[in-house]
Amino acid sequence: MELGKDTHSESKALTQSAHKNAVFALTSFTADCARLDVSLEEIGAIFEEHRCSPTRVQLYLDAYTKYKDSVRAVLSRVSSFARARIVDVNWRLDYNIKTNQEDKVNQLSYLVNILTQEPGVEEVKTVSFECTLEQLQDLVGKLKDAVRCVEKQVTT
């Protein structure tokens, strides 16, 4: 029985697994620090708290400083890190008198266009939808609720 050989392969697999976990953890840490715009002092304190070698911490901080803006740029393209903002809203009221299938419809509908712009991009995108008066009132009510929640959080 070759017990030593099995133990060596298990140890090697464990080492590879630990290496993958460490790389994943450091990558996640770096992305979160860049996303939250964490200062170098705060990052250094975190590493110091975990008793990392000052030489390695400085190597990491140098690399972080060098690539932080690039990481933030990538995050803004692939995540909700930087959200589009509403730049304008246009609407119009349509009154449908009849359709091809029915002679008399007499239905009101609102056509709403929300113009959005991504941070750092000149292009304006349009989100369009059609809704009834009740659906529009429901949307406005939900938006007012959202405003109240934000105002409440800001004041507390």
Side-chain angles (χ1 to χ4, degrees):
M1 186 172 178
E2 297 181 33
L3 185 60
K5 202 172 203 179
D6 288 339
T7 305
H8 177 69
S9 65
E10 287 176 12
S11 173
K12 186 176 179 181
L14 181 62
T15 303
Q16 288 176 342
S17 175
H19 176 75
K20 286 180 183 178
N21 287 340
V23 169
F24 176 76
L26 191 57
T27 304
S28 296
F29 176 75
T30 303
D32 282 344
C33 286
R35 180 177 59 85
L36 298 171
D37 201 18
V38 177
S39 72
L40 295 177
E41 293 78 23
E42 290 174 291
I43 294 171
I46 292 169
F47 281 124
E48 187 178 302
E49 192 177 298
H50 288 88
R51 298 186 183 135
C52 295
S53 123
T55 307
R56 289 186 178 178
V57 171
Q58 192 56 51
L59 285 171
Y60 176 84
L61 292 176
D62 291 343
Y64 177 80
T65 302
K66 183 177 180 180
Y67 296 107
K68 176 182 167 185
D69 291 336
S70 299
V71 171
R72 288 178 63 85
V74 169
L75 287 172
S76 71
R77 288 192 303 265
V78 298
S79 71
S80 58
F81 167 61
R83 299 183 190 275
R85 63 184 187 92
I86 296 174
V87 293
D88 199 7
V89 176
N90 301 312
W91 62 273
R92 80 169 189 241
L93 177 61
D94 276 354
Y95 184 69
N96 296 321
I97 298 171
K98 68 178 190 174
T99 65
N100 291 342
Q101 291 81 22
E102 299 178 41
D103 285 336
K104 194 172 185 181
V105 174
N106 295 332
Q107 181 182 17
L108 291 173
S109 65
Y110 291 88
L111 298 173
V112 180
N113 294 316
I114 300 175
L115 306 176
T116 63
Q117 188 174 32
E118 298 285 337
V121 178
E122 293 294 322
E123 179 187 358
V124 175
K125 295 181 181 176
T126 303
V127 177
S128 300
F129 60 93
E130 182 177 357
C131 60
T132 64
L133 175 62
E134 294 79 20
Q135 291 169 326
L136 187 58
Q137 288 172 334
D138 186 45
L139 175 63
V140 169
K142 288 179 181 178
L143 290 172
K144 286 181 180 179
D145 288 345
V147 168
R148 279 192 287 276
C149 285
V150 170
E151 288 173 343
K152 183 178 178 182
Q153 290 300 317
V154 169
T155 59
T156 58

PDB file of all heavy atoms in Angstrom, residues 7-41:
ATOM      1  N   THR A   7      -1.182  10.483   0.509  1.00  0.00           N
ATOM      2  CA  THR A   7      -1.124  11.626   1.400  1.00  0.00           C
ATOM      3  C   THR A   7      -0.530  12.824   0.680  1.00  0.00           C
ATOM      4  O   THR A   7      -1.000  13.949   0.812  1.00  0.00           O
ATOM      5  CB  THR A   7      -0.284  11.293   2.657  1.00  0.00           C
ATOM      6  OG1 THR A   7      -0.824  10.140   3.264  1.00  0.00           O
ATOM      7  CG2 THR A   7      -0.283  12.446   3.633  1.00  0.00           C
ATOM      8  N   HIS A   8       0.497  12.579  -0.138  1.00  0.00           N
ATOM      9  CA  HIS A   8       1.129  13.667  -0.896  1.00  0.00           C
ATOM     10  C   HIS A   8       0.157  14.273  -1.899  1.00  0.00           C
ATOM     11  O   HIS A   8       0.067  15.490  -2.023  1.00  0.00           O
ATOM     12  CB  HIS A   8       2.383  13.153  -1.614  1.00  0.00           C
ATOM     13  CG  HIS A   8       3.049  14.194  -2.464  1.00  0.00           C
ATOM     14  ND1 HIS A   8       3.694  15.272  -1.919  1.00  0.00           N
ATOM     15  CD2 HIS A   8       3.123  14.327  -3.807  1.00  0.00           C
ATOM     16  CE1 HIS A   8       4.156  16.031  -2.886  1.00  0.00           C
ATOM     17  NE2 HIS A   8       3.826  15.480  -4.041  1.00  0.00           N
ATOM     18  N   SER A   9      -0.605  13.440  -2.616  1.00  0.00           N
ATOM     19  CA  SER A   9      -1.560  13.968  -3.599  1.00  0.00           C
ATOM     20  C   SER A   9      -2.702  14.718  -2.910  1.00  0.00           C
ATOM     21  O   SER A   9      -3.173  15.735  -3.410  1.00  0.00           O
ATOM     22  CB  SER A   9      -2.089  12.855  -4.508  1.00  0.00           C
ATOM     23  OG  SER A   9      -2.846  11.928  -3.759  1.00  0.00           O
ATOM     24  N   GLU A  10      -3.145  14.221  -1.750  1.00  0.00           N
ATOM     25  CA  GLU A  10      -4.182  14.926  -0.999  1.00  0.00           C
ATOM     26  C   GLU A  10      -3.656  16.269  -0.502  1.00  0.00           C
ATOM     27  O   GLU A  10      -4.348  17.279  -0.545  1.00  0.00           O
ATOM     28  CB  GLU A  10      -4.665  14.083   0.180  1.00  0.00           C
ATOM     29  CG  GLU A  10      -5.523  12.906  -0.209  1.00  0.00           C
ATOM     30  CD  GLU A  10      -5.895  12.045   0.981  1.00  0.00           C
ATOM     31  OE1 GLU A  10      -5.692  12.479   2.129  1.00  0.00           O
ATOM     32  OE2 GLU A  10      -6.398  10.943   0.745  1.00  0.00           O
ATOM     33  N   SER A  11      -2.408  16.274  -0.050  1.00  0.00           N
ATOM     34  CA  SER A  11      -1.794  17.515   0.428  1.00  0.00           C
ATOM     35  C   SER A  11      -1.648  18.513  -0.714  1.00  0.00           C
ATOM     36  O   SER A  11      -1.903  19.701  -0.542  1.00  0.00           O
ATOM     37  CB  SER A  11      -0.426  17.201   1.030  1.00  0.00           C
ATOM     38  OG  SER A  11       0.242  18.387   1.349  1.00  0.00           O
ATOM     39  N   LYS A  12      -1.261  18.026  -1.902  1.00  0.00           N
ATOM     40  CA  LYS A  12      -1.116  18.897  -3.058  1.00  0.00           C
ATOM     41  C   LYS A  12      -2.470  19.472  -3.469  1.00  0.00           C
ATOM     42  O   LYS A  12      -2.590  20.656  -3.776  1.00  0.00           O
ATOM     43  CB  LYS A  12      -0.494  18.120  -4.216  1.00  0.00           C
ATOM     44  CG  LYS A  12      -0.161  18.970  -5.406  1.00  0.00           C
ATOM     45  CD  LYS A  12       0.547  18.161  -6.471  1.00  0.00           C
ATOM     46  CE  LYS A  12       0.842  19.041  -7.665  1.00  0.00           C
ATOM     47  NZ  LYS A  12       1.500  18.287  -8.730  1.00  0.00           N
ATOM     48  N   ALA A  13      -3.532  18.636  -3.450  1.00  0.00           N
ATOM     49  CA  ALA A  13      -4.876  19.115  -3.787  1.00  0.00           C
ATOM     50  C   ALA A  13      -5.348  20.149  -2.775  1.00  0.00           C
ATOM     51  O   ALA A  13      -5.960  21.150  -3.135  1.00  0.00           O
ATOM     52  CB  ALA A  13      -5.845  17.950  -3.851  1.00  0.00           C
ATOM     53  N   LEU A  14      -5.058  19.925  -1.515  1.00  0.00           N
ATOM     54  CA  LEU A  14      -5.439  20.881  -0.470  1.00  0.00           C
ATOM     55  C   LEU A  14      -4.699  22.198  -0.677  1.00  0.00           C
ATOM     56  O   LEU A  14      -5.275  23.271  -0.555  1.00  0.00           O
ATOM     57  CB  LEU A  14      -5.136  20.304   0.912  1.00  0.00           C
ATOM     58  CG  LEU A  14      -5.498  21.189   2.099  1.00  0.00           C
ATOM     59  CD1 LEU A  14      -6.998  21.450   2.110  1.00  0.00           C
ATOM     60  CD2 LEU A  14      -5.066  20.558   3.385  1.00  0.00           C
ATOM     61  N   THR A  15      -3.439  22.135  -1.033  1.00  0.00           N
ATOM     62  CA  THR A  15      -2.657  23.334  -1.275  1.00  0.00           C
ATOM     63  C   THR A  15      -3.224  24.107  -2.462  1.00  0.00           C
ATOM     64  O   THR A  15      -3.343  25.326  -2.411  1.00  0.00           O
ATOM     65  CB  THR A  15      -1.177  22.965  -1.532  1.00  0.00           C
ATOM     66  OG1 THR A  15      -0.696  22.230  -0.421  1.00  0.00           O
ATOM     67  CG2 THR A  15      -0.333  24.200  -1.723  1.00  0.00           C
ATOM     68  N   GLN A  16      -3.583  23.401  -3.543  1.00  0.00           N
ATOM     69  CA  GLN A  16      -4.177  24.062  -4.702  1.00  0.00           C
ATOM     70  C   GLN A  16      -5.512  24.698  -4.334  1.00  0.00           C
ATOM     71  O   GLN A  16      -5.815  25.808  -4.749  1.00  0.00           O
ATOM     72  CB  GLN A  16      -4.365  23.066  -5.849  1.00  0.00           C
ATOM     73  CG  GLN A  16      -3.071  22.661  -6.511  1.00  0.00           C
ATOM     74  CD  GLN A  16      -3.282  21.602  -7.575  1.00  0.00           C
ATOM     75  OE1 GLN A  16      -4.307  20.938  -7.611  1.00  0.00           O
ATOM     76  NE2 GLN A  16      -2.283  21.439  -8.442  1.00  0.00           N
ATOM     77  N   SER A  17      -6.286  23.995  -3.536  1.00  0.00           N
ATOM     78  CA  SER A  17      -7.571  24.528  -3.101  1.00  0.00           C
ATOM     79  C   SER A  17      -7.379  25.770  -2.229  1.00  0.00           C
ATOM     80  O   SER A  17      -8.074  26.772  -2.401  1.00  0.00           O
ATOM     81  CB  SER A  17      -8.336  23.459  -2.321  1.00  0.00           C
ATOM     82  OG  SER A  17      -9.521  23.981  -1.795  1.00  0.00           O
ATOM     83  N   ALA A  18      -6.436  25.712  -1.310  1.00  0.00           N
ATOM     84  CA  ALA A  18      -6.165  26.863  -0.449  1.00  0.00           C
ATOM     85  C   ALA A  18      -5.669  28.038  -1.281  1.00  0.00           C
ATOM     86  O   ALA A  18      -6.038  29.187  -1.029  1.00  0.00           O
ATOM     87  CB  ALA A  18      -5.146  26.490   0.620  1.00  0.00           C
ATOM     88  N   HIS A  19      -4.841  27.759  -2.286  1.00  0.00           N
ATOM     89  CA  HIS A  19      -4.325  28.810  -3.163  1.00  0.00           C
ATOM     90  C   HIS A  19      -5.472  29.475  -3.923  1.00  0.00           C
ATOM     91  O   HIS A  19      -5.554  30.705  -3.991  1.00  0.00           O
ATOM     92  CB  HIS A  19      -3.302  28.216  -4.142  1.00  0.00           C
ATOM     93  CG  HIS A  19      -2.779  29.198  -5.135  1.00  0.00           C
ATOM     94  ND1 HIS A  19      -1.858  30.163  -4.808  1.00  0.00           N
ATOM     95  CD2 HIS A  19      -3.068  29.385  -6.443  1.00  0.00           C
ATOM     96  CE1 HIS A  19      -1.601  30.897  -5.864  1.00  0.00           C
ATOM     97  NE2 HIS A  19      -2.320  30.445  -6.876  1.00  0.00           N
ATOM     98  N   LYS A  20      -6.372  28.666  -4.479  1.00  0.00           N
ATOM     99  CA  LYS A  20      -7.528  29.213  -5.210  1.00  0.00           C
ATOM    100  C   LYS A  20      -8.395  30.063  -4.295  1.00  0.00           C
ATOM    101  O   LYS A  20      -8.854  31.140  -4.675  1.00  0.00           O
ATOM    102  CB  LYS A  20      -8.359  28.084  -5.825  1.00  0.00           C
ATOM    103  CG  LYS A  20      -7.724  27.451  -7.026  1.00  0.00           C
ATOM    104  CD  LYS A  20      -8.613  26.339  -7.577  1.00  0.00           C
ATOM    105  CE  LYS A  20      -7.957  25.640  -8.748  1.00  0.00           C
ATOM    106  NZ  LYS A  20      -8.783  24.544  -9.247  1.00  0.00           N
ATOM    107  N   ASN A  21      -8.619  29.577  -3.078  1.00  0.00           N
ATOM    108  CA  ASN A  21      -9.433  30.332  -2.117  1.00  0.00           C
ATOM    109  C   ASN A  21      -8.766  31.655  -1.743  1.00  0.00           C
ATOM    110  O   ASN A  21      -9.436  32.682  -1.622  1.00  0.00           O
ATOM    111  CB  ASN A  21      -9.687  29.505  -0.862  1.00  0.00           C
ATOM    112  CG  ASN A  21     -10.671  28.383  -1.104  1.00  0.00           C
ATOM    113  OD1 ASN A  21     -11.441  28.412  -2.067  1.00  0.00           O
ATOM    114  ND2 ASN A  21     -10.638  27.370  -0.254  1.00  0.00           N
ATOM    115  N   ALA A  22      -7.443  31.637  -1.582  1.00  0.00           N
ATOM    116  CA  ALA A  22      -6.727  32.862  -1.224  1.00  0.00           C
ATOM    117  C   ALA A  22      -6.793  33.878  -2.367  1.00  0.00           C
ATOM    118  O   ALA A  22      -7.019  35.072  -2.130  1.00  0.00           O
ATOM    119  CB  ALA A  22      -5.279  32.533  -0.882  1.00  0.00           C
ATOM    120  N   VAL A  23      -6.611  33.418  -3.590  1.00  0.00           N
ATOM    121  CA  VAL A  23      -6.680  34.317  -4.744  1.00  0.00           C
ATOM    122  C   VAL A  23      -8.083  34.895  -4.870  1.00  0.00           C
ATOM    123  O   VAL A  23      -8.260  36.099  -5.098  1.00  0.00           O
ATOM    124  CB  VAL A  23      -6.255  33.589  -6.045  1.00  0.00           C
ATOM    125  CG1 VAL A  23      -6.575  34.411  -7.268  1.00  0.00           C
ATOM    126  CG2 VAL A  23      -4.773  33.263  -5.995  1.00  0.00           C
ATOM    127  N   PHE A  24      -9.108  34.056  -4.704  1.00  0.00           N
ATOM    128  CA  PHE A  24     -10.488  34.529  -4.778  1.00  0.00           C
ATOM    129  C   PHE A  24     -10.759  35.565  -3.690  1.00  0.00           C
ATOM    130  O   PHE A  24     -11.359  36.617  -3.950  1.00  0.00           O
ATOM    131  CB  PHE A  24     -11.463  33.362  -4.646  1.00  0.00           C
ATOM    132  CG  PHE A  24     -12.895  33.786  -4.627  1.00  0.00           C
ATOM    133  CD1 PHE A  24     -13.533  34.170  -5.798  1.00  0.00           C
ATOM    134  CD2 PHE A  24     -13.604  33.838  -3.441  1.00  0.00           C
ATOM    135  CE1 PHE A  24     -14.852  34.588  -5.780  1.00  0.00           C
ATOM    136  CE2 PHE A  24     -14.923  34.262  -3.421  1.00  0.00           C
ATOM    137  CZ  PHE A  24     -15.542  34.633  -4.593  1.00  0.00           C
ATOM    138  N   ALA A  25     -10.296  35.291  -2.477  1.00  0.00           N
ATOM    139  CA  ALA A  25     -10.533  36.214  -1.364  1.00  0.00           C
ATOM    140  C   ALA A  25      -9.838  37.551  -1.605  1.00  0.00           C
ATOM    141  O   ALA A  25     -10.438  38.614  -1.396  1.00  0.00           O
ATOM    142  CB  ALA A  25     -10.041  35.590  -0.056  1.00  0.00           C
ATOM    143  N   LEU A  26      -8.599  37.516  -2.077  1.00  0.00           N
ATOM    144  CA  LEU A  26      -7.869  38.754  -2.324  1.00  0.00           C
ATOM    145  C   LEU A  26      -8.491  39.534  -3.481  1.00  0.00           C
ATOM    146  O   LEU A  26      -8.594  40.765  -3.425  1.00  0.00           O
ATOM    147  CB  LEU A  26      -6.396  38.456  -2.609  1.00  0.00           C
ATOM    148  CG  LEU A  26      -5.462  39.658  -2.621  1.00  0.00           C
ATOM    149  CD1 LEU A  26      -5.525  40.416  -1.297  1.00  0.00           C
ATOM    150  CD2 LEU A  26      -4.039  39.217  -2.913  1.00  0.00           C
ATOM    151  N   THR A  27      -8.953  38.835  -4.501  1.00  0.00           N
ATOM    152  CA  THR A  27      -9.610  39.495  -5.634  1.00  0.00           C
ATOM    153  C   THR A  27     -10.914  40.148  -5.188  1.00  0.00           C
ATOM    154  O   THR A  27     -11.203  41.294  -5.544  1.00  0.00           O
ATOM    155  CB  THR A  27      -9.874  38.490  -6.760  1.00  0.00           C
ATOM    156  OG1 THR A  27      -8.643  37.878  -7.140  1.00  0.00           O
ATOM    157  CG2 THR A  27     -10.498  39.147  -7.964  1.00  0.00           C
ATOM    158  N   SER A  28     -11.691  39.434  -4.399  1.00  0.00           N
ATOM    159  CA  SER A  28     -12.951  39.992  -3.883  1.00  0.00           C
ATOM    160  C   SER A  28     -12.696  41.189  -2.988  1.00  0.00           C
ATOM    161  O   SER A  28     -13.396  42.209  -3.075  1.00  0.00           O
ATOM    162  CB  SER A  28     -13.718  38.928  -3.087  1.00  0.00           C
ATOM    163  OG  SER A  28     -14.089  37.872  -3.923  1.00  0.00           O
ATOM    164  N   PHE A  29     -11.686  41.081  -2.140  1.00  0.00           N
ATOM    165  CA  PHE A  29     -11.316  42.181  -1.246  1.00  0.00           C
ATOM    166  C   PHE A  29     -10.931  43.411  -2.064  1.00  0.00           C
ATOM    167  O   PHE A  29     -11.368  44.528  -1.778  1.00  0.00           O
ATOM    168  CB  PHE A  29     -10.161  41.732  -0.335  1.00  0.00           C
ATOM    169  CG  PHE A  29      -9.637  42.809   0.564  1.00  0.00           C
ATOM    170  CD1 PHE A  29     -10.352  43.209   1.683  1.00  0.00           C
ATOM    171  CD2 PHE A  29      -8.420  43.429   0.297  1.00  0.00           C
ATOM    172  CE1 PHE A  29      -9.872  44.205   2.520  1.00  0.00           C
ATOM    173  CE2 PHE A  29      -7.939  44.424   1.125  1.00  0.00           C
ATOM    174  CZ  PHE A  29      -8.662  44.810   2.234  1.00  0.00           C
ATOM    175  N   THR A  30     -10.108  43.201  -3.091  1.00  0.00           N
ATOM    176  CA  THR A  30      -9.657  44.309  -3.932  1.00  0.00           C
ATOM    177  C   THR A  30     -10.833  44.969  -4.649  1.00  0.00           C
ATOM    178  O   THR A  30     -10.943  46.198  -4.687  1.00  0.00           O
ATOM    179  CB  THR A  30      -8.618  43.816  -4.954  1.00  0.00           C
ATOM    180  OG1 THR A  30      -7.524  43.213  -4.254  1.00  0.00           O
ATOM    181  CG2 THR A  30      -8.102  44.950  -5.822  1.00  0.00           C
ATOM    182  N   ALA A  31     -11.719  44.153  -5.221  1.00  0.00           N
ATOM    183  CA  ALA A  31     -12.885  44.702  -5.926  1.00  0.00           C
ATOM    184  C   ALA A  31     -13.779  45.492  -4.976  1.00  0.00           C
ATOM    185  O   ALA A  31     -14.246  46.582  -5.318  1.00  0.00           O
ATOM    186  CB  ALA A  31     -13.666  43.576  -6.594  1.00  0.00           C
ATOM    187  N   ASP A  32     -14.019  44.958  -3.786  1.00  0.00           N
ATOM    188  CA  ASP A  32     -14.864  45.670  -2.819  1.00  0.00           C
ATOM    189  C   ASP A  32     -14.211  46.971  -2.358  1.00  0.00           C
ATOM    190  O   ASP A  32     -14.888  47.994  -2.228  1.00  0.00           O
ATOM    191  CB  ASP A  32     -15.173  44.785  -1.611  1.00  0.00           C
ATOM    192  CG  ASP A  32     -16.249  43.758  -1.898  1.00  0.00           C
ATOM    193  OD1 ASP A  32     -16.963  43.908  -2.906  1.00  0.00           O
ATOM    194  OD2 ASP A  32     -16.371  42.796  -1.109  1.00  0.00           O
ATOM    195  N   CYS A  33     -12.902  46.941  -2.123  1.00  0.00           N
ATOM    196  CA  CYS A  33     -12.208  48.169  -1.712  1.00  0.00           C
ATOM    197  C   CYS A  33     -12.286  49.229  -2.806  1.00  0.00           C
ATOM    198  O   CYS A  33     -12.527  50.404  -2.526  1.00  0.00           O
ATOM    199  CB  CYS A  33     -10.746  47.870  -1.374  1.00  0.00           C
ATOM    200  SG  CYS A  33     -10.539  47.005   0.191  1.00  0.00           S
ATOM    201  N   ALA A  34     -12.092  48.814  -4.055  1.00  0.00           N
ATOM    202  CA  ALA A  34     -12.172  49.765  -5.167  1.00  0.00           C
ATOM    203  C   ALA A  34     -13.594  50.288  -5.315  1.00  0.00           C
ATOM    204  O   ALA A  34     -13.807  51.484  -5.524  1.00  0.00           O
ATOM    205  CB  ALA A  34     -11.701  49.103  -6.462  1.00  0.00           C
ATOM    206  N   ARG A  35     -14.567  49.397  -5.208  1.00  0.00           N
ATOM    207  CA  ARG A  35     -15.973  49.795  -5.359  1.00  0.00           C
ATOM    208  C   ARG A  35     -16.372  50.809  -4.306  1.00  0.00           C
ATOM    209  O   ARG A  35     -17.059  51.791  -4.586  1.00  0.00           O
ATOM    210  CB  ARG A  35     -16.876  48.560  -5.268  1.00  0.00           C
ATOM    211  CG  ARG A  35     -18.359  48.850  -5.407  1.00  0.00           C
ATOM    212  CD  ARG A  35     -19.186  47.575  -5.373  1.00  0.00           C
ATOM    213  NE  ARG A  35     -19.022  46.816  -4.162  1.00  0.00           N
ATOM    214  CZ  ARG A  35     -19.700  47.039  -3.031  1.00  0.00           C
ATOM    215  NH1 ARG A  35     -20.573  48.009  -2.966  1.00  0.00           N
ATOM    216  NH2 ARG A  35     -19.507  46.294  -1.968  1.00  0.00           N
ATOM    217  N   LEU A  36     -15.896  50.588  -3.072  1.00  0.00           N
ATOM    218  CA  LEU A  36     -16.255  51.468  -1.958  1.00  0.00           C
ATOM    219  C   LEU A  36     -15.281  52.638  -1.804  1.00  0.00           C
ATOM    220  O   LEU A  36     -15.454  53.463  -0.912  1.00  0.00           O
ATOM    221  CB  LEU A  36     -16.305  50.663  -0.662  1.00  0.00           C
ATOM    222  CG  LEU A  36     -17.351  49.548  -0.621  1.00  0.00           C
ATOM    223  CD1 LEU A  36     -17.156  48.672   0.610  1.00  0.00           C
ATOM    224  CD2 LEU A  36     -18.750  50.124  -0.662  1.00  0.00           C
ATOM    225  N   ASP A  37     -14.267  52.684  -2.654  1.00  0.00           N
ATOM    226  CA  ASP A  37     -13.253  53.747  -2.625  1.00  0.00           C
ATOM    227  C   ASP A  37     -12.591  53.833  -1.250  1.00  0.00           C
ATOM    228  O   ASP A  37     -12.449  54.906  -0.662  1.00  0.00           O
ATOM    229  CB  ASP A  37     -13.867  55.086  -3.033  1.00  0.00           C
ATOM    230  CG  ASP A  37     -12.818  56.079  -3.509  1.00  0.00           C
ATOM    231  OD1 ASP A  37     -11.697  55.656  -3.840  1.00  0.00           O
ATOM    232  OD2 ASP A  37     -13.125  57.283  -3.544  1.00  0.00           O
ATOM    233  N   VAL A  38     -12.160  52.675  -0.741  1.00  0.00           N
ATOM    234  CA  VAL A  38     -11.533  52.590   0.576  1.00  0.00           C
ATOM    235  C   VAL A  38     -10.133  53.205   0.507  1.00  0.00           C
ATOM    236  O   VAL A  38      -9.400  53.005  -0.455  1.00  0.00           O
ATOM    237  CB  VAL A  38     -11.458  51.109   1.036  1.00  0.00           C
ATOM    238  CG1 VAL A  38     -10.754  50.987   2.367  1.00  0.00           C
ATOM    239  CG2 VAL A  38     -12.862  50.517   1.123  1.00  0.00           C
ATOM    240  N   SER A  39      -9.759  53.941   1.535  1.00  0.00           N
ATOM    241  CA  SER A  39      -8.451  54.615   1.554  1.00  0.00           C
ATOM    242  C   SER A  39      -7.333  53.609   1.813  1.00  0.00           C
ATOM    243  O   SER A  39      -7.543  52.524   2.377  1.00  0.00           O
ATOM    244  CB  SER A  39      -8.431  55.694   2.632  1.00  0.00           C
ATOM    245  OG  SER A  39      -8.387  55.096   3.920  1.00  0.00           O
ATOM    246  N   LEU A  40      -6.122  54.008   1.438  1.00  0.00           N
ATOM    247  CA  LEU A  40      -4.951  53.155   1.650  1.00  0.00           C
ATOM    248  C   LEU A  40      -4.716  52.913   3.141  1.00  0.00           C
ATOM    249  O   LEU A  40      -4.302  51.817   3.540  1.00  0.00           O
ATOM    250  CB  LEU A  40      -3.709  53.800   1.024  1.00  0.00           C
ATOM    251  CG  LEU A  40      -3.714  53.938  -0.492  1.00  0.00           C
ATOM    252  CD1 LEU A  40      -2.454  54.649  -0.974  1.00  0.00           C
ATOM    253  CD2 LEU A  40      -3.847  52.583  -1.164  1.00  0.00           C
ATOM    254  N   GLU A  41      -5.000  53.907   3.953  1.00  0.00           N
ATOM    255  CA  GLU A  41      -4.823  53.759   5.405  1.00  0.00           C
ATOM    256  C   GLU A  41      -5.754  52.685   5.963  1.00  0.00           C
ATOM    257  O   GLU A  41      -5.361  51.875   6.798  1.00  0.00           O
ATOM    258  CB  GLU A  41      -5.070  55.096   6.124  1.00  0.00           C
ATOM    259  CG  GLU A  41      -4.044  56.171   5.826  1.00  0.00           C
ATOM    260  CD  GLU A  41      -4.243  56.845   4.462  1.00  0.00           C
ATOM    261  OE1 GLU A  41      -5.366  56.821   3.915  1.00  0.00           O
ATOM    262  OE2 GLU A  41      -3.252  57.372   3.926  1.00  0.00           O
TER     263      GLU A  41
END
